[in-house]
Amino acid sequence: MNRKKLLVVLMASSVSLAATACTSNGASTPSSSPKATTPTTNSPAAKKITITTMKSINGDVPPQNAKAVQKINDKFNVDYQAALVPSGSYTEKLNVTLASGSLADATLLPSGELTDKYSKFAKQGAFLALDEYIKNYPSLKLVPDYVWDQFRVNGKVYAIPGYNPKFGFTVVVRKDWLDSLGLKAPTSYEELKQIALAFTKNDPDKNGKNDTYGLAIGKDINWPIPMGAYWDPDAWYHKDDKNRFIPGIVSNARKEMIQWFADLYKEGAMTKDFITLDWAATNKEFYSGKAGIFIGSPRGMSEQYMDGLLKIEPKAQFLPLDAFTAPDGSKGFTASRGFANMTVISAQAGKDPDKVKRILSMLDFSRNFYPNDQKNDKNKDFDFLYGGLGEGYDLTDGIGVAKPASITQGLVPATYLLDGVMVPSKDTDVDYPAMYKLPQLKELTAAISKQYTQLKFYQSPNYAVISPTEIAKGAEMKKYLLDEQSKMIAGVRPVSDWSKLVEEWKTKGGEAMITEINAGIKMKDAKEAWQ
C-alpha cells in the first residue's frame, strides 16, 4: 500500500469529522445538464429507491442494520443497503465483485486503482459516464480541472474524486521517550536511525523491560518514511543516465532508504513481522505503546486509537518532525494527486436517471463543508450526518467532535454514506486541531499544520500523463518491487542486488512506462514542480 492509497491511514473509520481541503480551478463544463435533485427527497411525491453501495472501512465494522441507516432511509426516501468491508480484505472483495459483474449501484474505489481497475472497467462499460451531471452539484464544481483530467477515459469521466489535500503525513516521534533518553529531535535519517536504536535498546519508558522498539511499519513497506520529495517512492523526482524522469521507487535515493530500513531491521529497531502486518495491526504497534516512531497528519487522526494509548501511558507526548533537507538542497513533501478515492456508479444503475440523481445528491450532501461555528446541533444537516449531539458527537468549545465509539456502534450516518469527507472551497477554511477532543491530538495536529504552511510541495510531473503500460501492469510491477525490496530489508536478498532488481523491473514493463510518461512530461527540471 503506497502513500496515495493511505489517505485514510490512522482513521478508526474512513469517516471523520475532519474536513479536507480543496482549491478550485473550475470544473469541466458538461455538454448537457440534467437538474440535480434536492438532497432531502422524502417528500410524498418522491418515489422510494433502493440503493446499494460498497466501501472499505478502517477499524471495526459497524452493524448493517443500524440506527444511522434508518436515518438515511428516512431522510432520502431510500432503502439504503451499504456493504462496509474491512480495509484489509477490500481489494479481494473488490476483485471478486468486478469479475462477477455484480456491482453495487455505487462503489468506492481506492485511489490506487486509478490506473488499474478504474481505467480497465470504465473502458469495458462497467461504469456510468458522469460528465453531464458534474456541474449540477456544488461539491463537484469545486474539483479542479487537473483532478478531473486524471479520471478521463477516452475523453469521459466515470468517477467522482473524493478530495484529498495536498499534504499527507510526516513522522511522529514519542517526545516523552526522547526526553527520557535526553535526545533531540532528528533532522536527518542518520539521526532518526540513532533514535530508533535508542528506543529499542535503552528502555525509553523506564519500566525495566525490553519491550519497546523504534519504527512501526507494515507490509509493502508502509509507510515508506519519505521525509521529503527527494526520498518519495511515488514521486518522479530523479532522472536516470538518459536524463529521463524515473519513479522514486527505483532511484538511488530509494536504495539508500532500503539500506536504512535493513540496518534497523537487523538491530530489531523496526517491526519484526512487517512483511505480513496489515495497516490496522501496524497502528496497534504504535498505539499500544510498543513503538516510538510512526506517522501523523492534521486530518483523519483516530481519537479512539490515541485514547487507547493514553490510557496505557497517560504521560505520552508526541513530536512531529519537519521535512529533512535533501542532498540537492530541497526541503518539502510531495503534493498529493488531489483525491483520496473515487466513487463510481454502475452502468446498470445508470439506466435509471432518478437513481443516479438520488445517489449524486446524497454524495454531494455528505461532502458539504461546515465551518466551525456550524459544526453543532444548530446546523441540522451537520447534526444529521454525524449522528446527533450526545449520540454521535459531543461539543468541545462549541464544535462537534466524534464520540470515541459512535462510529463502531452505527450511530453516524456519514460512516455509511459513500463519501463523508467535507470539501471546503480552499485549504485555509479548515481548522483541523479544532476537530479533535483530546488535548494531545489538538496539540499534535496544530504543530503539523503549522509546519505544512511553511513548506513547499512538489507536484510530481507524472500526474497528468497516461501510460498504457502503467495502466496494464503498474500495480503488478510495483508489487514486485515492494516484495523484493521487503526481502532486502529482511536480509533475504542483498541490497547489493539493487541494479539487478531495477533491470528486472524494467523488463517487466518499467522501461516502457518510463518512456511513455517522459513523452508526456513538459518540464525539464524537477525544480520547476515546487510550489
Side-chain angles (χ1 to χ4, degrees):
M1 221 177 184
N2 61 29
R3 180 165 69 106
K4 279 58 176 193
K5 290 178 80 171
L6 285 173
L7 296 214
V8 291
V9 157
L10 294 179
M11 289 187 179
S13 163
S14 59
V15 170
S16 164
L17 294 193
T20 59
C22 173
T23 56
S24 175
N25 296 326
S28 303
T29 302
S31 56
S32 58
S33 308
K35 292 182 178 180
T37 54
T38 304
T40 303
T41 55
N42 57 352
S43 64
K47 67 178 181 180
K48 189 171 187 176
I49 296 175
T50 297
I51 294 176
T52 60
T53 64
M54 187 174 83
K55 65 182 285 189
S56 65
I57 187 166
N58 292 287
D60 297 330
V61 176
Q64 285 188 324
N65 299 319
K67 184 175 183 179
V69 176
Q70 187 56 54
K71 287 184 176 181
I72 292 171
N73 289 338
D74 293 342
K75 184 172 186 64
F76 296 101
N77 196 23
V78 293
D79 176 10
Y80 193 69
Q81 301 173 17
L84 305 182
V85 182
S87 58
S89 58
Y90 193 67
T91 297
E92 180 181 358
K93 176 68 173 179
L94 189 60
N95 288 339
V96 171
T97 301
L98 288 168
S100 68
S102 56
L103 285 171
D105 294 326
T107 301
L108 198 70
L109 302 183
S111 61
E113 302 296 356
L114 180 67
T115 57
D116 185 18
K117 296 181 179 66
Y118 168 71
S119 180
K120 174 183 176 181
F121 286 94
K123 287 180 178 178
Q124 292 180 4
F127 309 141
L128 174 69
L130 299 168
D131 303 72
E132 62 180 309
Y133 294 96
I134 289 172
K135 79 173 186 180
N136 295 292
Y137 299 89
S139 73
L140 307 191
K141 291 192 288 185
L142 291 173
V143 178
D145 285 336
Y146 86 91
V147 177
W148 288 122
D149 288 344
Q150 296 177 64
F151 286 86
R152 297 197 182 282
V153 177
N154 296 329
K156 291 187 176 294
V157 171
Y158 292 86
I160 304 298
Y163 188 77
N164 188 54
K166 63 185 177 184
F167 57 79
F169 303 96
T170 190
V171 168
V172 169
V173 178
R174 283 285 297 271
K175 183 180 182 301
D176 54 314
W177 287 11
L178 288 177
D179 294 343
S180 171
L181 299 176
L183 300 172
K184 296 181 180 180
T187 59
S188 68
Y189 281 107
E190 179 57 33
E191 292 177 3
L192 184 58
K193 178 196 291 187
Q194 295 307 314
I195 285 173
L197 292 172
F199 284 177
T200 306
K201 301 175 183 293
N202 298 343
D203 190 20
D205 59 359
K206 302 301 182 185
N207 67 354
K209 300 178 182 179
N210 184 23
D211 58 356
T212 61
Y213 68 93
L215 176 66
I217 194 167
K219 66 180 179 180
D220 295 334
I221 316 176
N222 183 22
W223 189 60
I225 319 295
M227 292 306 294
Y230 183 92
W231 299 280
D232 195 321
D234 295 316
W236 288 60
Y237 187 92
H238 298 277
K239 288 187 173 184
D240 62 11
D241 55 6
K242 297 179 182 178
N243 201 37
R244 302 178 302 177
F245 284 98
I246 58 174
I249 197 169
V250 295
S251 68
N252 286 333
R254 176 67 166 184
K255 176 185 177 182
E256 293 171 2
M257 284 300 305
I258 296 302
Q259 184 63 63
W260 184 83
F261 282 121
D263 292 346
L264 291 181
Y265 187 85
K266 185 177 180 180
E267 296 290 338
M270 60 173 278
T271 308
K272 182 178 180 180
D273 53 348
F274 79 97
I275 290 178
T276 60
L277 215 62
D278 66 23
W279 190 244
T282 308
N283 273 271
K284 290 179 181 178
E285 291 294 297
F286 181 75
Y287 288 103
S288 65
K290 296 178 183 178
I293 304 170
F294 198 44
I295 62 173
S297 176
R299 64 188 291 269
M301 297 287 285
S302 171
E303 200 102 17
Q304 189 171 6
Y305 282 177
M306 182 63 78
D307 185 58
L309 174 56
L310 293 173
K311 286 179 179 177
I312 299 170
E313 301 186 36
K315 296 182 179 180
Q317 294 179 301
F318 311 92
L319 177 71
L321 300 187
D322 197 4
F324 295 162
T325 300
D328 66 354
S330 65
K331 184 177 181 180
F333 295 115
T334 306
S336 77
R337 284 180 174 267
F339 64 94
N341 50 48
M342 62 201 91
T343 299
V344 295
I345 297 177
S346 71
Q348 181 63 34
K351 295 178 180 179
D352 183 350
D354 289 337
K355 176 177 285 192
V356 174
K357 294 174 185 177
R358 194 74 60 89
I359 291 171
L360 291 176
S361 291
M362 294 170 69
L363 182 74
D364 188 61
F365 178 81
S366 67
R367 289 156 56 102
N368 189 47
F369 174 75
Y370 303 95
N372 286 347
D373 61 0
Q374 293 182 28
K375 293 175 183 174
N376 49 54
D377 56 320
K378 295 179 181 178
N379 187 300
K380 299 305 179 185
D381 289 340
F382 176 90
D383 190 66
F384 164 80
L385 276 172
Y386 297 101
L389 179 60
E391 287 192 71
Y393 67 94
D394 290 323
L395 295 180
T396 300
D397 297 327
I399 300 172
V401 177
K403 293 173 73 69
S406 61
I407 291 173
T408 56
Q409 291 174 355
L411 300 175
V412 182
T415 306
Y416 295 85
L417 295 171
L418 278 165
D419 188 350
V421 180
M422 303 178 191
V423 183
S425 59
K426 56 184 183 300
D427 290 356
T428 53
D429 289 343
V430 186
D431 181 2
Y432 291 104
M435 297 173 192
Y436 299 99
K437 188 173 183 179
L438 292 171
Q440 292 87 343
L441 272 181
K442 284 180 174 290
E443 182 179 350
L444 175 59
T445 54
I448 300 175
S449 296
K450 183 177 180 180
Q451 287 180 352
Y452 285 169
T453 63
Q454 300 168 346
L455 287 176
K456 289 185 176 181
F457 286 84
Y458 180 73
Q459 298 282 351
S460 191
N462 64 304
Y463 286 171
V465 183
I466 300 297
S467 162
T469 301
E470 183 178 22
I471 291 173
K473 302 178 180 180
E476 176 186 340
M477 292 190 302
K478 184 169 186 179
K479 186 65 169 66
Y480 178 76
L481 284 174
L482 291 172
D483 287 346
E484 295 304 305
Q485 290 174 7
S486 294
K487 293 177 184 177
M488 290 179 175
I489 292 171
V492 177
R493 182 173 184 176
V495 180
S496 59
D497 263 4
W498 186 262
S499 295
K500 182 180 178 181
L501 173 59
V502 173
E503 290 304 314
E504 291 167 0
W505 173 79
K506 286 183 177 181
T507 62
K508 292 177 180 293
E511 177 64 29
M513 187 173 75
I514 290 173
T515 299
E516 292 164 0
I517 288 183
N518 276 270
I521 293 178
K522 305 302 180 184
M523 73 181 200
K524 301 300 182 182
D525 193 305
K527 294 178 181 178
E528 300 173 35
W530 285 102
Q531 296 183 5

